[in-house]
Amino acid sequence: MWLFQSTCVVCNDPASGVCDRCVDQLEPPQVPALLAVESATVLCSYEGIGAELVTAIKYHNRRQALGPMCDALAAVLPRDFDALVSVPAHPARRRERGFDVPELIARRLSKRLDIPVATPLKRVDDGSQQGRGRSDRQGVEFRAEARVPERLLLIDDVVTTGATAVSCALTLGLAGARSVSFVALAATPAPEVAGAGVG
Ligand SMILES: [Zn+2]
């Protein structure tokens, strides 16, 4: 019987994907400022249970946790988008994992929000950027393969510096989007900036 029991991916209590108690312990995210992005919705901080959840999904293929997380996002997201666009995974990473988490989130949100998925974005980087030093802001570039609808929701799994989201939003803007909002499961906590005297 236990074989068919569905459990929380974090604490193993009986639950469908992730239990309410674990959801209640998610830390609120600190979302970086995102140039060219209309509004950003992020479920939790990438630490503690939030980090365990995302790790379980991304690296242990425990996709059942995506259901409750997408439910929580769908409950707070606006619905006035023409299409949902996920940030494409690096092809090598996608091959190695066999799936692409932002795409899985897009499919689930599409059902919940009743908004179609569009896939205009392609990566132009080929992995040769690795080892070129930390240039997060220019490390990843995208191109749009087609004209895009006007109001888009861009989807990623984890937002760190926000450079990827901004790069995608700018690309979508050039391809015809008038507004791009952003949604992610988690945001990595901002590093402590000790005495960095900016201005
Ligand atoms: Zn739990």
Side-chain angles (χ1 to χ4, degrees):
M1 290 292 270
W2 274 107
L3 283 177
F4 302 103
Q5 185 100 37
S6 134
T7 59
C8 173
V9 303
V10 179
C11 70
N12 286 320
D13 273 3
S16 166
V18 54
C19 73
D20 292 344
R21 200 165 47 93
C22 286
V23 169
D24 285 345
Q25 291 178 59
L26 293 172
E27 298 283 341
Q30 276 182 287
V31 183
L34 300 172
L35 178 76
V37 169
E38 183 101 350
S39 70
T41 305
V42 179
L43 189 61
C44 63
S45 183
Y46 189 78
E47 59 187 315
I49 290 196
E52 283 185 52
L53 263 177
V54 174
T55 303
I57 295 164
K58 281 185 84 159
Y59 304 106
H60 305 291
N61 199 11
R62 303 201 63 188
R63 303 180 198 190
Q64 61 270 42
L66 276 175
M69 295 179 93
C70 290
D71 285 342
L73 286 171
V76 295
L77 278 169
R79 283 160 196 249
D80 52 348
F81 303 110
D82 301 312
L84 311 181
V85 176
S86 57
V87 173
H90 197 283
R93 226 176 280 163
R94 198 204 152 101
R95 269 197 303 277
E96 153 197 324
R97 249 179 235 159
F99 63 97
D100 177 357
V101 176
E103 191 183 308
L104 297 178
I105 300 167
R107 274 193 238 147
R108 282 160 179 75
L109 288 179
S110 172
K111 279 192 198 140
R112 286 162 174 79
L113 302 174
D114 196 23
I115 299 170
V117 169
T119 56
L121 287 177
K122 302 290 175 238
R123 278 183 185 261
V124 293
D125 62 337
D126 57 4
S128 62
Q129 310 261 1
Q130 253 178 355
R132 265 196 208 175
R134 291 201 55 76
S135 172
D136 266 359
R137 274 160 231 283
Q138 279 143 21
V140 179
E141 286 185 346
F142 298 88
R143 65 192 160 81
E145 284 205 321
R147 292 288 294 172
V148 298
E150 289 192 350
R151 298 165 307 166
L152 300 177
L153 179 63
L154 178 68
I155 298 170
D156 207 351
D157 45 16
V158 177
V159 54
T160 303
T161 62
T164 300
V166 169
S167 176
C168 287
L170 291 171
T171 302
L172 292 169
L174 291 172
R178 299 186 69 147
S179 80
V180 179
S181 290
F182 176 74
V183 65
L185 298 179
T188 52
E192 303 290 332
V193 184
V198 182

